[in-house]
């Protein structure tokens, strides 16, 4: 079964949600759709165009498989999250999480254009999740095969201003998923 959701109004973008055999919805927006139809409205104080498609949760609060499980997304294998922006190249999980998101690359100075011609400047930062610990030769960090793409709008005009003139909290949109790289070792794909 396939449903179409119109996200842009007249002349806007249409995104498809497919419902599989097990009832799981497949939500696969493009980067432009993430920025223009989810993150930008969030920053401007508007309700999301597709309710429940992006969850408000800190992706650094738990290892990725636990995060997805908490929000009923583990069966889908990936999820989209709104989170407060953080700074730094390492994002650690709380004590007992045993891991950290480590910076692995950037896409800077990107632009998306709305159906009305408004340009939104943004960047994307990629992180890989590594586990800590181990014995002997395995001591240190090892990749788990999980990645996170963090989208941030860099244009301050896209943020809503509060009454007192201060900017509201900066939000990012994170896509947490398993890596699609073929060279990830099979044992790394487990949890």
């Amino acid at each position: 079964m396939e449903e179409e959701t119109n996200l842009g109004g007249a002349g806007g973008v249409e995104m498809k949600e497919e419902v599989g055999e097990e009832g799981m919805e497949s939500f696969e927006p493009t980067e432009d759709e993430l920025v223009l139809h989810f993150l930008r409205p969030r920053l401007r104080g508007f309700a999301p165009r597709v309710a429940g498609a992006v969850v408000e949760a800190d992706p650094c609060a738990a290892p990725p498989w636990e995060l997805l499980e908490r929000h009923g997304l583990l069966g889908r294998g990936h999820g989209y999250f709104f989170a407060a922006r953080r700074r730094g190249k390492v994002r650690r999980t709380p004590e007992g999480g045993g891991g950290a998101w480590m910076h692995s690359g950037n896409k800077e100075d990107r632009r998306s254009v709305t159906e009305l011609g408004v340009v939104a400047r943004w960047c994307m930062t990629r992180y890989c999740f590594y586990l800590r610990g181990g014995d002997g030769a395995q001591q240190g960090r090892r990749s788990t095969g999980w990645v996170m793409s963090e989208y941030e709008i860099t244009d301050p005009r896209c943020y809503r201003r509060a009454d007192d003139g201060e900017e509201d909290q900066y939000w990012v949109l994170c896509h947490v998923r398993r890596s699609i790289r073929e060279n990830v070792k099979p044992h790394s794909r487990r949890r």
Side-chain angles (χ1 to χ4, degrees):
M1 181 175 151
E2 194 174 279
E3 298 176 19
E4 289 188 7
T5 305
N6 187 337
L7 297 176
V13 177
E14 290 185 8
M15 293 180 6
K16 295 180 181 180
E17 294 182 22
E18 296 178 12
V19 179
E21 296 174 7
E22 300 163 346
M24 286 284 186
E25 293 181 15
S26 176
F27 176 67
E28 297 291 338
T30 66
E31 288 181 328
D32 285 333
E33 290 166 339
L34 285 174
V35 170
L36 295 176
H37 301 296
F38 293 92
L39 185 54
R40 185 172 178 268
R42 173 66 180 222
L43 298 177
R44 298 184 63 77
F46 297 114
R49 292 188 179 190
V50 179
V54 181
V55 178
E56 187 175 324
D58 181 4
C60 301
W65 52 90
E66 288 180 18
L67 176 73
L68 294 179
E69 187 171 36
R70 284 180 191 172
H71 298 283
L73 302 169
L74 190 59
R76 188 188 305 176
H78 69 100
Y80 297 89
F81 302 92
F82 285 124
R85 178 181 67 179
R86 295 180 179 203
R87 289 292 179 217
K89 297 199 181 253
V90 177
R91 314 262 163 85
R92 300 197 186 285
T93 56
E95 243 359 91
W101 290 104
M102 308 291 282
H103 178 266
S104 70
N106 288 347
K107 278 188 185 177
E108 296 184 11
D109 299 324
R110 310 294 287 200
R111 294 171 190 253
S112 297
V113 182
T114 69
E115 56 273 0
L116 298 176
V118 176
V119 176
R121 294 188 326 257
W122 57 276
C123 67
M124 188 271 288
T125 305
R126 174 116 346 121
Y127 296 88
C128 295
F129 192 76
Y130 288 85
L131 286 177
R132 295 186 303 249
D135 303 348
Q138 297 296 322
Q139 197 168 17
R141 294 186 186 112
R142 70 176 176 90
S143 176
T144 61
W146 287 88
V147 296
M148 175 172 64
S149 299
E150 181 181 275
Y151 298 89
E152 176 182 355
I153 291 182
T154 57
D155 188 345
R157 293 173 296 169
C158 290
Y159 288 82
R160 178 183 58 160
R161 297 276 180 179
D163 291 339
D164 60 0
E166 297 292 320
E167 289 186 353
D168 287 347
Q169 185 175 21
Y170 285 92
W171 290 91
V172 294
L173 192 154
C174 301
H175 181 202
V176 175
R177 61 182 164 55
R178 289 183 187 234
S179 175
I180 55 174
R181 288 182 35 204
E182 292 296 321
N183 62 351
V184 175
K185 296 177 184 174
H187 72 276
S188 297
R189 291 186 187 220
R190 285 182 280 152
R191 285 187 137 187

